[in-house]
């Protein structure tokens, strides 16, 4: 069977994990720090803090930015629920702005329109999502956010290695924090780098960095320079309400080991995307597809068709397990129950009615991809 996403664990990955299991450190230890430094350098930022999963990374980012019961935050409906949930964890209110139907990303014009509807200061921040691996133009979003005094969290869970070109033609890597205050990544098995469970927050801000370190471990510090007093070698201070969001050293070494193949694997994803693009270009029944786009990290390859459910079932009968990304977050029962009036986001809802994510992962063989393409084309031509 062919899934839509799958981890890729090599003999070297396994050997590296065994080495850590035989070392003195099982939970957070020296390998976590090594992984953080290597990851920060990969995405071109100053600081990286490893945490137990992408959702924890979002939660800590929300706490760093002071989200509380009075906060209002704008995000996209086409994302995993956790993007919005981090605002709710802190009691804040989520506003959804519609996507751009061409890029599937949060549409800056819709965000601007929403900001303009209310007095300045009404909104606290914007959470953008580099959906499917396509980088958001954060230079433009930063300008808009600055006009309205908003912060930006970049949910880059789909996009390590992705980038956009700024107005000067300079490459801006996802998670480099040249524009976003904080960026988050996930190391769930379907993502680019797999730790089993794992996440990362990146930032260029030393204050946020210190906050993240503390919040990931109960709000506790053992740094004598940061404590109000010191009773002795055993002493620590819990200075704020934090969590246990630590990553273990044996997960970190898996991440570190996989990070070593990230560039290579990204190239393979791009080749897979190119083959899909060639196969589906100008097909009359494919309304839109991910296509080949510079800087796209291809976590997902999406096609839009009218008979989506039928195609999904047909591919399933052929042992090809596609997925739908995503059910619009504003339509999930929890979010529906929060708002008194029904929100309508035309582009997101239209996209959801037609989208299907095809198998996309570095170990997808040429043979298996050809089988996927043939199956899709054969469904579309009715020969099944
Ligand atoms: C995977 C994902 C998350 C959550 O990451 P976990 O590691 O599963 O908690 C958040 N946002 C997006 C866009 C994701 O794809």
């Amino acid at each position: 069977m062919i899934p839509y996403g799958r981890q890729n664990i090599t003999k070297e990955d396994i050997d590296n994990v065994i080495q850590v299991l035989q070392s003195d450190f099982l939970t957070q230890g020296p390998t976590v720090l090594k992984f953080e430094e290597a990851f920060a350098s990969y995405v071109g930022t100053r600081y990286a803090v490893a945490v137990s999963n992408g959702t924890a990374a979002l939660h800590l980012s929300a706490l760093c930015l002071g989200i509380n019961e009075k906060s209002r935050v704008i995000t996209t409906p086409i994302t995993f629920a956790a993007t919005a949930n981090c605002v709710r964890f802190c009691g804040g209110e989520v506003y959804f702005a519609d996507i751009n139907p061409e890029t599937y990303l949060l549409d800056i014009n819709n965000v601007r329109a929403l900001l303009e509807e209310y007095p300045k200061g009404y909104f606290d921040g914007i959470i953008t999502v580099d959906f499917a691996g396509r980088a958001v133009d954060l230079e433009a979003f930063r300008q808009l956010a600055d006009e309205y005094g908003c912060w930006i969290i970049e949910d880059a869970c789909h996009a390590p290695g992705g980038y956009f070109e700024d107005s000067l033609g300079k490459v801006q890597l996802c998670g480099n924090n040249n524009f976003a205050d904080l960026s988050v990544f996930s190391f769930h098995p379907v993502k680019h780098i797999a730790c089993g469970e794992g996440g990362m927050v990146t930032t260029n801000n030393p204050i946020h960095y210190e906050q993240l370190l503390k919040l990931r471990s109960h709000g506790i510090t053992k740094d004598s320079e940061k404590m109000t007093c010191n009773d002795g070698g055993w002493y620590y201070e819990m200075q704020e309400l934090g969590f246990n969001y630590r990553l273990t050293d044996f997960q970190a070494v898996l991440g570190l080991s996989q990070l070593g193949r990230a560039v290579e694997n990204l190239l393979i994803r791009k080749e897979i995307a190119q083959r899909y693009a060639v196969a589906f270009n100008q097909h009359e029944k494919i309304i839109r597809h991910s296509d080949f786009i510079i800087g796209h990290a291809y976590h997902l390859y999406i096609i839009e068709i009218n008979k989506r459910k039928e195609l999904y079932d047909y591919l399933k009968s052929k042992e090809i397990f596609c997925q739908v990304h995503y059910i619009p977050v504003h339509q999930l029962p929890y979010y529906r129950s929060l708002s008194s009036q029904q929100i309508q986001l035309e582009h997101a809802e239209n996209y959801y009615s037609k989208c299907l994510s095809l198998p996309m992962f570095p170990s997808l063989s040429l043979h298996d991809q050809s089988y996927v393409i043939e199956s899709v084309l054969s469904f579309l031509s009715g020969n099944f």
Side-chain angles (χ1 to χ4, degrees):
M1 75 117 185
I2 310 174
Y4 85 88
R6 173 189 278 164
Q7 73 273 23
N8 171 235
I9 308 285
T10 63
K11 168 88 170 52
E12 195 190 358
D13 290 341
I14 294 168
D15 290 343
N16 287 331
V17 172
I18 289 171
Q19 250 186 0
V20 167
L21 289 173
Q22 290 168 335
S23 77
D24 291 337
F25 293 89
L26 207 52
T27 182
Q28 186 181 301
T31 315
V32 165
L33 188 62
K34 268 194 220 161
F35 182 34
E36 289 170 341
E37 287 172 354
F39 193 83
S41 143
Y42 181 62
V43 302
T45 190
R46 268 172 86 184
Y47 306 107
V49 176
V51 291
S52 44
N53 54 63
T55 305
L58 282 161
H59 188 192
L60 292 192
S61 300
L63 290 170
C64 273
L65 294 164
I67 300 183
N68 59 35
E69 292 75 10
K70 295 192 188 94
S71 307
R72 301 181 190 96
V73 178
I74 300 172
T75 193
T76 170
I78 298 300
T79 184
F80 184 54
T83 310
N85 292 352
C86 71
V87 177
R88 299 295 306 140
F89 295 161
C90 304
E93 197 179 344
V94 186
Y95 286 68
F96 297 97
D98 208 353
I99 59 166
N100 177 323
E102 300 287 328
T103 64
Y104 310 149
L105 304 176
L106 187 58
D107 191 322
I108 193 163
N109 295 318
N110 296 334
V111 175
R112 184 179 289 112
L114 188 54
L115 287 164
E116 282 170 357
E117 250 181 71
Y118 296 89
K120 267 197 182 173
Y122 187 83
F123 290 102
D124 296 76
I126 304 166
I127 308 180
T128 63
V129 179
D130 300 313
F131 175 69
R134 185 167 182 161
V136 168
D137 179 349
L138 284 177
E139 185 184 32
F141 268 96
R142 181 80 260 174
Q143 218 165 27
L144 180 63
D146 285 346
E147 267 177 63
Y148 286 86
C150 287
W151 46 252
I152 297 175
I153 296 176
E154 174 191 18
D155 183 336
C157 286
H158 294 182
Y163 65 87
F164 71 95
E165 284 177 5
D166 69 14
S167 54
L168 301 173
K170 230 179 119 203
V171 166
Q172 298 289 346
L173 283 168
C174 295
N176 74 3
N177 305 114
N178 283 345
F179 305 104
D181 296 271
L182 296 141
S183 303
V184 301
F185 294 88
S186 163
F187 307 126
H188 179 280
V190 298
K191 311 286 163 77
H192 284 52
I193 294 165
C195 292
E197 296 284 351
M200 193 76 82
V201 189
T202 64
T203 184
N204 278 328
N205 183 325
I207 297 166
H208 288 330
Y209 178 60
E210 293 296 330
Q211 278 175 300
L212 290 165
L213 292 180
K214 217 190 311 186
L215 288 169
R216 119 176 118 179
S217 202
H218 310 282
I220 284 175
T221 184
K222 290 175 187 169
D223 184 342
S224 58
E225 281 178 25
K226 292 179 189 118
M227 298 192 298
T228 56
C229 64
N230 192 350
D231 289 349
W234 66 87
Y235 194 71
Y236 59 82
E237 278 184 355
M238 186 195 132
Q239 298 176 331
E240 54 192 305
L241 190 60
F243 297 84
N244 180 352
Y245 279 165
R246 292 185 302 262
L247 189 71
T248 69
D249 252 29
F250 60 91
Q251 290 170 309
V253 77
L254 188 53
L256 190 59
S257 189
Q258 302 215 338
L259 186 58
R261 294 197 305 283
V263 172
E264 184 188 323
N265 282 339
L266 189 55
L267 284 176
I268 300 172
R269 284 178 186 272
K270 289 184 185 186
E271 285 167 12
I272 293 170
Q274 209 144 22
R275 288 197 290 269
Y276 278 139
V278 168
F280 300 141
N281 264 341
Q282 266 130 46
H283 193 291
E284 54 174 0
K285 287 188 182 162
I286 296 180
I287 298 159
R288 203 175 279 113
H289 61 103
S290 292
D291 214 339
F292 196 75
I293 286 143
I294 296 290
H296 200 305
Y298 293 104
H299 166 58
L300 303 172
Y301 197 95
I302 297 159
I303 61 173
E304 283 182 79
I305 59 269
N306 279 324
K307 295 190 168 175
R308 190 266 312 276
K309 185 168 187 304
E310 288 84 349
L311 177 57
Y312 173 90
D313 290 338
Y314 174 73
L315 293 175
K316 199 167 156 188
S317 76
K318 305 202 80 176
E319 297 285 296
I320 301 166
F321 291 84
C322 294
Q323 193 44 281
V324 167
H325 297 94
Y326 290 95
I327 304 162
V329 180
H330 69 285
Q331 293 191 320
L332 297 171
Y334 172 76
Y335 282 97
R336 273 187 202 270
S337 76
L338 288 180
S339 72
S340 48
Q341 71 221 93
Q342 201 89 301
I343 320 160
Q344 279 198 333
L345 298 168
E346 181 197 340
H347 295 311
E349 289 163 29
N350 184 48
Y351 160 80
Y352 169 62
S353 71
K354 297 181 171 63
C355 67
L356 193 65
S357 304
L358 300 180
M360 167 58 84
F361 50 92
S363 60
L364 179 68
S365 68
L366 204 56
H367 174 270
D368 282 357
Q369 191 185 2
S370 300
Y371 175 66
V372 173
I373 291 171
E374 276 165 29
S375 303
V376 171
L377 295 179
S378 123
F379 173 86
L380 293 176
S381 62
N383 301 325
F384 57 92

